[in-house]
Amino acid sequence: MKKLSISLFALFASLTTFAQDFQGMAVYESKTSTADFKTRMDGNKDITPEMRKMIEERMKKMFEKTFILNFDKTASIYKEEEKLDAPGQDRGGFRMMSSMMGGGGTYYKNVKEKTFTVDKEFMGKEFLVADSLPKLNWKLENETKKIGDYTCFKATAVKPVDASDMRNYREKKKKEGEEKKPSTNFMDDYEMPKEITITAWYTPEVPINQGPEGYWGLPGLILEVNDGKTVVMCSKLVMNTKDKVEIKAPKNGKQVKQKEYDEIVTKKLEEMREQFQSQGGRGGMQIRMSR
């Protein structure tokens, strides 16, 4: 992670001292562990050094991202930093995978109304997921650490997973005495847990009830989140930004609740898995969303 650099025009003691048009900006670096994927490649003799290099480059783009959080006193938008596409890149497939890996689209949350809206693309179809913000039962700890110039406090919570977020997949653990059988389907070795433990670090020095992605609900801006596989850490923070950004919810796409979107994604992934198995682990998959 980059060392946190802080640019402050003012340091406020409480929310009441914020100007009416107050706005801040935070940059977050997100990195998802790929150790299990690389271990699997190590045992595959069919993967040439050239193929491995190409796969690792694509994995880096999917699993290492930069996001911008623009926030005011009550609302925020969280969006992946725009980067130039490589020549010849398949944007359709990349956008879909990026969305399922926590990227793409605009994540809007309003902590006053306790709602969120995020636009996503899946299988060539645009969705607008709008729902109530999930409330985590945060446990505030006494442990502290410095992130940049800020003193941060630790908080933990157990969170139900979003089944549509592939970052939540975990490698299956072998039962005692169980032999691991080789599989032609990569996803047979992984499973989606029902819940995961979240560790967050927040700073009361920035008394904003905000954070990256869908995280909120702590007495200070969340500067770091760790779910055991993905770490999201603030690398830059600017308070009272001069250039204001319009903080509003996205509007494009078919509106669905989070549960409905999760069901759509998991159903299509299961279809892909079955088709992959029927082809003996070879060939492409031609699954389209119904309109």
Side-chain angles (χ1 to χ4, degrees), residues 122-174:
F122 182 65
M123 292 293 184
K125 188 170 184 178
E126 293 184 352
F127 292 92
L128 191 67
V129 184
D131 214 327
S132 300
L133 273 172
K135 181 175 174 58
L136 295 181
N137 185 21
W138 291 108
K139 179 182 178 183
L140 305 185
E141 311 280 358
N142 292 324
E143 187 177 348
T144 65
K145 74 173 181 178
K146 279 279 191 177
I147 298 181
D149 294 335
Y150 288 98
T151 298
C152 295
F153 289 81
K154 182 179 180 180
T156 57
V158 176
K159 173 190 174 186
V161 302
D162 291 337
S164 58
D165 190 340
M166 291 187 68
R167 293 174 301 170
N168 290 325
Y169 272 101
R170 302 294 193 265
E171 191 170 15
K172 289 181 179 177
K173 294 182 180 179
K174 290 193 303 180

Tab-separated table of all heavy atoms in Angstrom, residues 122-174:
chain	number	residue	atom	x	y	z
A	122	PHE	N	-23.863	-6.886	-15.892
A	122	PHE	CA	-23.635	-8.328	-15.820
A	122	PHE	C	-24.238	-8.996	-17.040
A	122	PHE	O	-25.407	-8.792	-17.365
A	122	PHE	CB	-24.255	-8.914	-14.546
A	122	PHE	CG	-24.028	-10.391	-14.382
A	122	PHE	CD1	-22.749	-10.891	-14.194
A	122	PHE	CD2	-25.085	-11.285	-14.446
A	122	PHE	CE1	-22.526	-12.256	-14.064
A	122	PHE	CE2	-24.876	-12.653	-14.311
A	122	PHE	CZ	-23.593	-13.136	-14.118
A	123	MET	N	-23.424	-9.774	-17.756
A	123	MET	CA	-23.840	-10.472	-18.960
A	123	MET	C	-24.477	-9.517	-19.978
A	123	MET	O	-25.489	-9.831	-20.597
A	123	MET	CB	-24.825	-11.591	-18.612
A	123	MET	CG	-24.214	-12.732	-17.834
A	123	MET	SD	-23.023	-13.638	-18.867
A	123	MET	CE	-22.584	-14.967	-17.748
A	124	GLY	N	-23.876	-8.335	-20.125
A	124	GLY	CA	-24.344	-7.384	-21.118
A	124	GLY	C	-25.595	-6.626	-20.736
A	124	GLY	O	-26.130	-5.862	-21.551
A	125	LYS	N	-26.081	-6.769	-19.506
A	125	LYS	CA	-27.281	-6.076	-19.064
A	125	LYS	C	-26.957	-5.168	-17.892
A	125	LYS	O	-26.189	-5.543	-17.004
A	125	LYS	CB	-28.369	-7.081	-18.666
A	125	LYS	CG	-29.718	-6.434	-18.385
A	125	LYS	CD	-30.814	-7.477	-18.240
A	125	LYS	CE	-32.165	-6.812	-18.047
A	125	LYS	NZ	-33.276	-7.787	-17.939
A	126	GLU	N	-27.559	-3.976	-17.899
A	126	GLU	CA	-27.307	-3.010	-16.832
A	126	GLU	C	-28.349	-3.140	-15.725
A	126	GLU	O	-29.547	-3.231	-15.993
A	126	GLU	CB	-27.315	-1.586	-17.399
A	126	GLU	CG	-26.156	-1.304	-18.342
A	126	GLU	CD	-26.142	0.133	-18.815
A	126	GLU	OE1	-27.117	0.860	-18.533
A	126	GLU	OE2	-25.153	0.534	-19.457
A	127	PHE	N	-27.863	-3.148	-14.498
A	127	PHE	CA	-28.729	-3.240	-13.328
A	127	PHE	C	-28.489	-2.031	-12.423
A	127	PHE	O	-27.378	-1.492	-12.363
A	127	PHE	CB	-28.450	-4.518	-12.535
A	127	PHE	CG	-28.839	-5.785	-13.251
A	127	PHE	CD1	-27.931	-6.468	-14.036
A	127	PHE	CD2	-30.131	-6.289	-13.127
A	127	PHE	CE1	-28.284	-7.638	-14.690
A	127	PHE	CE2	-30.499	-7.456	-13.775
A	127	PHE	CZ	-29.572	-8.132	-14.559
A	128	LEU	N	-29.533	-1.648	-11.715
A	128	LEU	CA	-29.444	-0.602	-10.730
A	128	LEU	C	-29.898	-1.202	-9.396
A	128	LEU	O	-31.089	-1.375	-9.144
A	128	LEU	CB	-30.343	0.582	-11.108
A	128	LEU	CG	-30.167	1.867	-10.303
A	128	LEU	CD1	-28.790	2.481	-10.586
A	128	LEU	CD2	-31.255	2.872	-10.653
A	129	VAL	N	-28.920	-1.553	-8.565
A	129	VAL	CA	-29.224	-2.185	-7.286
A	129	VAL	C	-29.478	-1.081	-6.261
A	129	VAL	O	-28.585	-0.288	-5.946
A	129	VAL	CB	-28.065	-3.089	-6.816
A	129	VAL	CG1	-28.454	-3.807	-5.526
A	129	VAL	CG2	-27.686	-4.092	-7.900
A	130	ALA	N	-30.709	-1.004	-5.773
A	130	ALA	CA	-31.091	0.020	-4.801
A	130	ALA	C	-31.755	-0.653	-3.608
A	130	ALA	O	-32.696	-1.424	-3.762
A	130	ALA	CB	-32.048	1.029	-5.441
A	131	ASP	N	-31.231	-0.362	-2.411
A	131	ASP	CA	-31.733	-1.065	-1.232
A	131	ASP	C	-31.362	-0.279	0.031
A	131	ASP	O	-30.717	0.774	-0.044
A	131	ASP	CB	-31.132	-2.472	-1.172
A	131	ASP	CG	-32.104	-3.499	-0.596
A	131	ASP	OD1	-32.897	-3.119	0.282
A	131	ASP	OD2	-32.048	-4.666	-1.030
A	132	SER	N	-31.747	-0.824	1.170
A	132	SER	CA	-31.365	-0.229	2.452
A	132	SER	C	-29.917	-0.583	2.766
A	132	SER	O	-29.468	-1.693	2.465
A	132	SER	CB	-32.273	-0.748	3.571
A	132	SER	OG	-33.623	-0.425	3.322
A	133	LEU	N	-29.215	0.344	3.378
A	133	LEU	CA	-27.836	0.069	3.767
A	133	LEU	C	-27.805	-1.025	4.833
A	133	LEU	O	-28.527	-0.939	5.830
A	133	LEU	CB	-27.174	1.319	4.336
A	133	LEU	CG	-26.510	2.276	3.362
A	133	LEU	CD1	-26.089	3.549	4.087
A	133	LEU	CD2	-25.315	1.635	2.676
A	134	PRO	N	-26.988	-2.073	4.626
A	134	PRO	CA	-26.885	-3.107	5.661
A	134	PRO	C	-26.232	-2.537	6.910
A	134	PRO	O	-25.190	-1.881	6.835
A	134	PRO	CB	-26.005	-4.182	5.003
A	134	PRO	CG	-25.235	-3.447	3.948
A	134	PRO	CD	-26.132	-2.353	3.460
A	135	LYS	N	-26.858	-2.767	8.044
A	135	LYS	CA	-26.326	-2.245	9.309
A	135	LYS	C	-25.488	-3.319	9.981
A	135	LYS	O	-25.988	-4.380	10.332
A	135	LYS	CB	-27.474	-1.805	10.230
A	135	LYS	CG	-27.000	-1.221	11.552
A	135	LYS	CD	-28.149	-0.683	12.368
A	135	LYS	CE	-27.715	-0.227	13.751
A	135	LYS	NZ	-26.663	0.806	13.687
A	136	LEU	N	-24.212	-3.056	10.137
A	136	LEU	CA	-23.315	-4.002	10.783
A	136	LEU	C	-23.296	-3.750	12.289
A	136	LEU	O	-23.311	-2.598	12.742
A	136	LEU	CB	-21.904	-3.875	10.221
A	136	LEU	CG	-21.735	-4.240	8.732
A	136	LEU	CD1	-20.277	-4.098	8.321
A	136	LEU	CD2	-22.233	-5.639	8.452
A	137	ASN	N	-23.234	-4.807	13.041
A	137	ASN	CA	-23.162	-4.709	14.503
A	137	ASN	C	-21.687	-4.580	14.902
A	137	ASN	O	-21.040	-5.540	15.308
A	137	ASN	CB	-23.800	-5.947	15.140
A	137	ASN	CG	-23.870	-5.838	16.653
A	137	ASN	OD1	-23.824	-4.747	17.212
A	137	ASN	ND2	-23.966	-6.979	17.314
A	138	TRP	N	-21.185	-3.354	14.772
A	138	TRP	CA	-19.768	-3.113	15.020
A	138	TRP	C	-19.417	-3.289	16.502
A	138	TRP	O	-20.152	-2.844	17.374
A	138	TRP	CB	-19.378	-1.699	14.606
A	138	TRP	CG	-19.386	-1.429	13.133
A	138	TRP	CD1	-20.292	-0.674	12.442
A	138	TRP	CD2	-18.434	-1.897	12.170
A	138	TRP	NE1	-19.970	-0.648	11.118
A	138	TRP	CE2	-18.832	-1.378	10.917
A	138	TRP	CE3	-17.293	-2.699	12.238
A	138	TRP	CZ2	-18.130	-1.640	9.748
A	138	TRP	CZ3	-16.599	-2.964	11.070
A	138	TRP	CH2	-17.004	-2.441	9.842
A	139	LYS	N	-18.295	-3.926	16.748
A	139	LYS	CA	-17.749	-4.036	18.096
A	139	LYS	C	-16.528	-3.125	18.161
A	139	LYS	O	-15.524	-3.352	17.488
A	139	LYS	CB	-17.342	-5.476	18.414
A	139	LYS	CG	-16.750	-5.651	19.806
A	139	LYS	CD	-16.314	-7.100	20.044
A	139	LYS	CE	-15.682	-7.258	21.419
A	139	LYS	NZ	-15.194	-8.650	21.645
A	140	LEU	N	-16.607	-2.061	18.960
A	140	LEU	CA	-15.518	-1.097	19.047
A	140	LEU	C	-14.431	-1.609	19.991
A	140	LEU	O	-14.715	-2.030	21.113
A	140	LEU	CB	-16.052	0.254	19.540
A	140	LEU	CG	-17.201	0.860	18.725
A	140	LEU	CD1	-17.544	2.249	19.264
A	140	LEU	CD2	-16.864	0.920	17.243
A	141	GLU	N	-13.194	-1.599	19.502
A	141	GLU	CA	-12.055	-2.101	20.271
A	141	GLU	C	-11.215	-0.926	20.787
A	141	GLU	O	-11.330	0.206	20.308
A	141	GLU	CB	-11.184	-2.998	19.389
A	141	GLU	CG	-11.955	-4.061	18.605
A	141	GLU	CD	-12.299	-5.271	19.449
A	141	GLU	OE1	-11.901	-5.285	20.633
A	141	GLU	OE2	-12.944	-6.195	18.925
A	142	ASN	N	-10.335	-1.209	21.746
A	142	ASN	CA	-9.440	-0.183	22.285
A	142	ASN	C	-8.140	-0.079	21.499
A	142	ASN	O	-7.380	0.871	21.669
A	142	ASN	CB	-9.119	-0.472	23.754
A	142	ASN	CG	-10.337	-0.297	24.651
A	142	ASN	OD1	-11.157	0.580	24.422
A	142	ASN	ND2	-10.456	-1.144	25.677
A	143	GLU	N	-7.880	-1.057	20.647
A	143	GLU	CA	-6.624	-1.087	19.893
A	143	GLU	C	-6.563	0.066	18.902
A	143	GLU	O	-7.552	0.386	18.241
A	143	GLU	CB	-6.504	-2.423	19.158
A	143	GLU	CG	-5.168	-2.636	18.466
A	143	GLU	CD	-5.063	-3.995	17.812
A	143	GLU	OE1	-5.923	-4.860	18.082
A	143	GLU	OE2	-4.126	-4.190	17.014
A	144	THR	N	-5.402	0.692	18.800
A	144	THR	CA	-5.221	1.813	17.874
A	144	THR	C	-3.986	1.599	17.013
A	144	THR	O	-3.095	0.808	17.344
A	144	THR	CB	-5.065	3.146	18.633
A	144	THR	OG1	-3.858	3.108	19.411
A	144	THR	CG2	-6.259	3.418	19.532
A	145	LYS	N	-3.932	2.323	15.909
A	145	LYS	CA	-2.735	2.359	15.074
A	145	LYS	C	-2.786	3.623	14.231
A	145	LYS	O	-3.847	4.233	14.041
A	145	LYS	CB	-2.616	1.117	14.195
A	145	LYS	CG	-3.560	1.062	13.009
A	145	LYS	CD	-3.208	-0.134	12.121
A	145	LYS	CE	-4.107	-0.213	10.902
A	145	LYS	NZ	-3.733	-1.337	10.010
A	146	LYS	N	-1.640	4.015	13.727
A	146	LYS	CA	-1.539	5.202	12.893
A	146	LYS	C	-1.677	4.820	11.424
A	146	LYS	O	-1.040	3.890	10.937
A	146	LYS	CB	-0.186	5.884	13.109
A	146	LYS	CG	-0.109	6.767	14.336
A	146	LYS	CD	-0.728	8.141	14.042
A	146	LYS	CE	-0.413	9.129	15.157
A	146	LYS	NZ	-0.963	10.473	14.838
A	147	ILE	N	-2.518	5.533	10.717
A	147	ILE	CA	-2.585	5.437	9.261
A	147	ILE	C	-2.314	6.851	8.760
A	147	ILE	O	-3.143	7.748	8.931
A	147	ILE	CB	-3.943	4.932	8.758
A	147	ILE	CG1	-4.201	3.510	9.273
A	147	ILE	CG2	-3.998	4.956	7.235
A	147	ILE	CD1	-5.530	2.908	8.811
A	148	GLY	N	-1.129	7.051	8.208
A	148	GLY	CA	-0.704	8.397	7.869
A	148	GLY	C	-0.572	9.217	9.132
A	148	GLY	O	0.038	8.793	10.108
A	149	ASP	N	-1.189	10.388	9.159
A	149	ASP	CA	-1.132	11.269	10.327
A	149	ASP	C	-2.278	11.046	11.285
A	149	ASP	O	-2.398	11.755	12.290
A	149	ASP	CB	-1.147	12.735	9.866
A	149	ASP	CG	0.106	13.105	9.095
A	149	ASP	OD1	1.139	12.444	9.313
A	149	ASP	OD2	0.044	14.027	8.265
A	150	TYR	N	-3.136	10.065	10.991
A	150	TYR	CA	-4.345	9.878	11.787
A	150	TYR	C	-4.251	8.697	12.745
A	150	TYR	O	-3.765	7.613	12.378
A	150	TYR	CB	-5.542	9.678	10.866
A	150	TYR	CG	-5.947	10.940	10.150
A	150	TYR	CD1	-5.527	11.179	8.849
A	150	TYR	CD2	-6.726	11.893	10.791
A	150	TYR	CE1	-5.888	12.329	8.196
A	150	TYR	CE2	-7.102	13.055	10.142
A	150	TYR	CZ	-6.678	13.277	8.843
A	150	TYR	OH	-7.033	14.433	8.196
A	151	THR	N	-4.741	8.908	13.949
A	151	THR	CA	-4.878	7.819	14.913
A	151	THR	C	-6.198	7.116	14.623
A	151	THR	O	-7.258	7.740	14.624
A	151	THR	CB	-4.880	8.344	16.357
A	151	THR	OG1	-3.626	8.984	16.620
A	151	THR	CG2	-5.090	7.202	17.347
A	152	CYS	N	-6.110	5.815	14.366
A	152	CYS	CA	-7.299	5.039	14.013
A	152	CYS	C	-7.612	4.011	15.093
A	152	CYS	O	-6.703	3.458	15.723
A	152	CYS	CB	-7.093	4.334	12.673
A	152	CYS	SG	-6.931	5.464	11.281
A	153	PHE	N	-8.879	3.748	15.272
A	153	PHE	CA	-9.349	2.761	16.232
A	153	PHE	C	-9.904	1.548	15.486
A	153	PHE	O	-10.480	1.672	14.405
A	153	PHE	CB	-10.434	3.362	17.134
A	153	PHE	CG	-9.916	4.380	18.107
A	153	PHE	CD1	-9.681	5.685	17.701
A	153	PHE	CD2	-9.643	4.028	19.427
A	153	PHE	CE1	-9.198	6.636	18.601
A	153	PHE	CE2	-9.155	4.963	20.324
A	153	PHE	CZ	-8.931	6.267	19.913
A	154	LYS	N	-9.742	0.401	16.109
A	154	LYS	CA	-10.168	-0.853	15.509
A	154	LYS	C	-11.633	-1.155	15.823
A	154	LYS	O	-12.126	-0.882	16.914
A	154	LYS	CB	-9.289	-1.995	16.038
A	154	LYS	CG	-9.603	-3.368	15.455
A	154	LYS	CD	-8.649	-4.403	16.049
A	154	LYS	CE	-8.920	-5.795	15.507
A	154	LYS	NZ	-7.989	-6.796	16.101
A	155	ALA	N	-12.331	-1.713	14.835
A	155	ALA	CA	-13.708	-2.169	15.025
A	155	ALA	C	-13.884	-3.451	14.215
A	155	ALA	O	-13.301	-3.601	13.144
A	155	ALA	CB	-14.702	-1.111	14.563
A	156	THR	N	-14.667	-4.383	14.733
A	156	THR	CA	-14.900	-5.648	14.034
A	156	THR	C	-16.399	-5.915	13.931
A	156	THR	O	-17.199	-5.425	14.734
A	156	THR	CB	-14.225	-6.829	14.758
A	156	THR	OG1	-14.706	-6.890	16.107
A	156	THR	CG2	-12.711	-6.674	14.764
A	157	ALA	N	-16.760	-6.709	12.937
A	157	ALA	CA	-18.161	-7.076	12.737
A	157	ALA	C	-18.227	-8.332	11.891
A	157	ALA	O	-17.317	-8.629	11.104
A	157	ALA	CB	-18.932	-5.943	12.059
A	158	VAL	N	-19.304	-9.094	12.060
A	158	VAL	CA	-19.567	-10.258	11.218
A	158	VAL	C	-20.599	-9.841	10.184
A	158	VAL	O	-21.655	-9.307	10.523
A	158	VAL	CB	-20.095	-11.446	12.048
A	158	VAL	CG1	-20.448	-12.611	11.129
A	158	VAL	CG2	-19.048	-11.878	13.064
A	159	LYS	N	-20.271	-10.061	8.915
A	159	LYS	CA	-21.098	-9.548	7.823
A	159	LYS	C	-21.603	-10.676	6.925
A	159	LYS	O	-20.817	-11.520	6.488
A	159	LYS	CB	-20.266	-8.574	6.986
A	159	LYS	CG	-20.952	-8.091	5.714
A	159	LYS	CD	-19.975	-7.334	4.839
A	159	LYS	CE	-20.614	-6.983	3.512
A	159	LYS	NZ	-19.640	-6.358	2.582
A	160	PRO	N	-22.905	-10.699	6.623
A	160	PRO	CA	-23.421	-11.646	5.628
A	160	PRO	C	-22.809	-11.285	4.273
A	160	PRO	O	-22.665	-10.104	3.943
A	160	PRO	CB	-24.934	-11.391	5.635
A	160	PRO	CG	-25.215	-10.679	6.910
A	160	PRO	CD	-23.988	-9.888	7.216
A	161	VAL	N	-22.441	-12.283	3.466
A	161	VAL	CA	-21.762	-11.997	2.211
A	161	VAL	C	-22.745	-11.615	1.117
A	161	VAL	O	-23.915	-12.012	1.148
A	161	VAL	CB	-20.921	-13.205	1.730
A	161	VAL	CG1	-19.905	-13.601	2.760
A	161	VAL	CG2	-21.828	-14.375	1.362
A	162	ASP	N	-22.255	-10.838	0.154
A	162	ASP	CA	-22.998	-10.596	-1.075
A	162	ASP	C	-22.615	-11.719	-2.033
A	162	ASP	O	-21.460	-11.818	-2.471
A	162	ASP	CB	-22.614	-9.246	-1.685
A	162	ASP	CG	-23.094	-8.078	-0.838
A	162	ASP	OD1	-24.049	-8.272	-0.074
A	162	ASP	OD2	-22.509	-6.983	-0.943
A	163	ALA	N	-23.580	-12.561	-2.363
A	163	ALA	CA	-23.287	-13.735	-3.193
A	163	ALA	C	-22.846	-13.360	-4.602
A	163	ALA	O	-22.261	-14.181	-5.314
A	163	ALA	CB	-24.523	-14.640	-3.254
A	164	SER	N	-23.108	-12.111	-5.015
A	164	SER	CA	-22.741	-11.674	-6.358
A	164	SER	C	-21.311	-11.148	-6.428
A	164	SER	O	-20.816	-10.838	-7.512
A	164	SER	CB	-23.705	-10.589	-6.836
A	164	SER	OG	-23.699	-9.486	-5.949
A	165	ASP	N	-20.638	-11.045	-5.286
A	165	ASP	CA	-19.268	-10.528	-5.231
A	165	ASP	C	-18.298	-11.700	-5.176
A	165	ASP	O	-18.170	-12.368	-4.147
A	165	ASP	CB	-19.102	-9.629	-4.004
A	165	ASP	CG	-17.783	-8.866	-4.019
A	165	ASP	OD1	-16.850	-9.285	-4.738
A	165	ASP	OD2	-17.678	-7.857	-3.299
A	166	MET	N	-17.591	-11.952	-6.262
A	166	MET	CA	-16.713	-13.114	-6.348
A	166	MET	C	-15.498	-13.007	-5.427
A	166	MET	O	-14.814	-14.004	-5.203
A	166	MET	CB	-16.278	-13.342	-7.801
A	166	MET	CG	-17.411	-13.798	-8.700
A	166	MET	SD	-16.867	-14.268	-10.356
A	166	MET	CE	-15.927	-15.748	-10.008
A	167	ARG	N	-15.219	-11.826	-4.892
A	167	ARG	CA	-14.119	-11.704	-3.937
A	167	ARG	C	-14.411	-12.473	-2.652
A	167	ARG	O	-13.501	-12.765	-1.879
A	167	ARG	CB	-13.876	-10.230	-3.605
A	167	ARG	CG	-13.357	-9.399	-4.752
A	167	ARG	CD	-13.288	-7.937	-4.379
A	167	ARG	NE	-14.595	-7.412	-3.985
A	167	ARG	CZ	-14.783	-6.224	-3.435
A	167	ARG	NH1	-13.754	-5.435	-3.195
A	167	ARG	NH2	-15.999	-5.812	-3.119
A	168	ASN	N	-15.688	-12.796	-2.444
A	168	ASN	CA	-16.075	-13.504	-1.223
A	168	ASN	C	-15.832	-15.006	-1.297
A	168	ASN	O	-15.975	-15.707	-0.291
A	168	ASN	CB	-17.550	-13.238	-0.907
A	168	ASN	CG	-17.798	-11.815	-0.459
A	168	ASN	OD1	-16.961	-11.226	0.216
A	168	ASN	ND2	-18.923	-11.241	-0.853
A	169	TYR	N	-15.492	-15.525	-2.492
A	169	TYR	CA	-15.214	-16.954	-2.585
A	169	TYR	C	-13.976	-17.304	-1.772
A	169	TYR	O	-12.997	-16.574	-1.754
A	169	TYR	CB	-14.999	-17.362	-4.049
A	169	TYR	CG	-16.284	-17.734	-4.759
A	169	TYR	CD1	-16.918	-16.834	-5.607
A	169	TYR	CD2	-16.857	-18.991	-4.581
A	169	TYR	CE1	-18.099	-17.166	-6.254
A	169	TYR	CE2	-18.032	-19.337	-5.230
A	169	TYR	CZ	-18.647	-18.415	-6.060
A	169	TYR	OH	-19.821	-18.750	-6.697
A	170	ARG	N	-14.050	-18.440	-1.088
A	170	ARG	CA	-12.922	-18.935	-0.306
A	170	ARG	C	-12.615	-20.366	-0.749
A	170	ARG	O	-13.508	-21.129	-1.118
A	170	ARG	CB	-13.252	-18.932	1.199
A	170	ARG	CG	-13.629	-17.552	1.761
A	170	ARG	CD	-12.452	-16.601	1.722
A	170	ARG	NE	-12.679	-15.393	2.506
A	170	ARG	CZ	-13.127	-14.241	2.022
A	170	ARG	NH1	-13.457	-14.153	0.738
A	170	ARG	NH2	-13.265	-13.180	2.793
A	171	GLU	N	-11.337	-20.716	-0.695
A	171	GLU	CA	-10.954	-22.079	-1.066
A	171	GLU	C	-11.537	-23.064	-0.051
A	171	GLU	O	-11.502	-22.827	1.151
A	171	GLU	CB	-9.427	-22.205	-1.101
A	171	GLU	CG	-8.950	-23.503	-1.736
A	171	GLU	CD	-7.446	-23.509	-1.973
A	171	GLU	OE1	-6.753	-22.643	-1.395
A	171	GLU	OE2	-6.978	-24.361	-2.731
A	172	LYS	N	-12.091	-24.147	-0.567
A	172	LYS	CA	-12.705	-25.148	0.301
A	172	LYS	C	-11.649	-25.795	1.193
A	172	LYS	O	-10.546	-26.116	0.749
A	172	LYS	CB	-13.395	-26.223	-0.537
A	172	LYS	CG	-14.655	-25.771	-1.244
A	172	LYS	CD	-15.285	-26.915	-2.021
A	172	LYS	CE	-16.559	-26.468	-2.721
A	172	LYS	NZ	-17.154	-27.556	-3.534
A	173	LYS	N	-12.013	-25.968	2.450
A	173	LYS	CA	-11.106	-26.638	3.381
A	173	LYS	C	-11.377	-28.132	3.379
A	173	LYS	O	-12.527	-28.568	3.411
A	173	LYS	CB	-11.302	-26.075	4.789
A	173	LYS	CG	-10.895	-24.617	4.929
A	173	LYS	CD	-11.072	-24.144	6.362
A	173	LYS	CE	-10.659	-22.681	6.501
A	173	LYS	NZ	-10.838	-22.189	7.884
A	174	LYS	N	-10.300	-28.909	3.318
A	174	LYS	CA	-10.455	-30.361	3.341
A	174	LYS	C	-10.839	-30.841	4.736
A	174	LYS	O	-10.340	-30.334	5.737
A	174	LYS	CB	-9.145	-31.051	2.923
A	174	LYS	CG	-8.794	-30.898	1.457
A	174	LYS	CD	-7.683	-31.848	1.056
A	174	LYS	CE	-6.441	-31.653	1.892
A	174	LYS	NZ	-5.364	-32.582	1.505
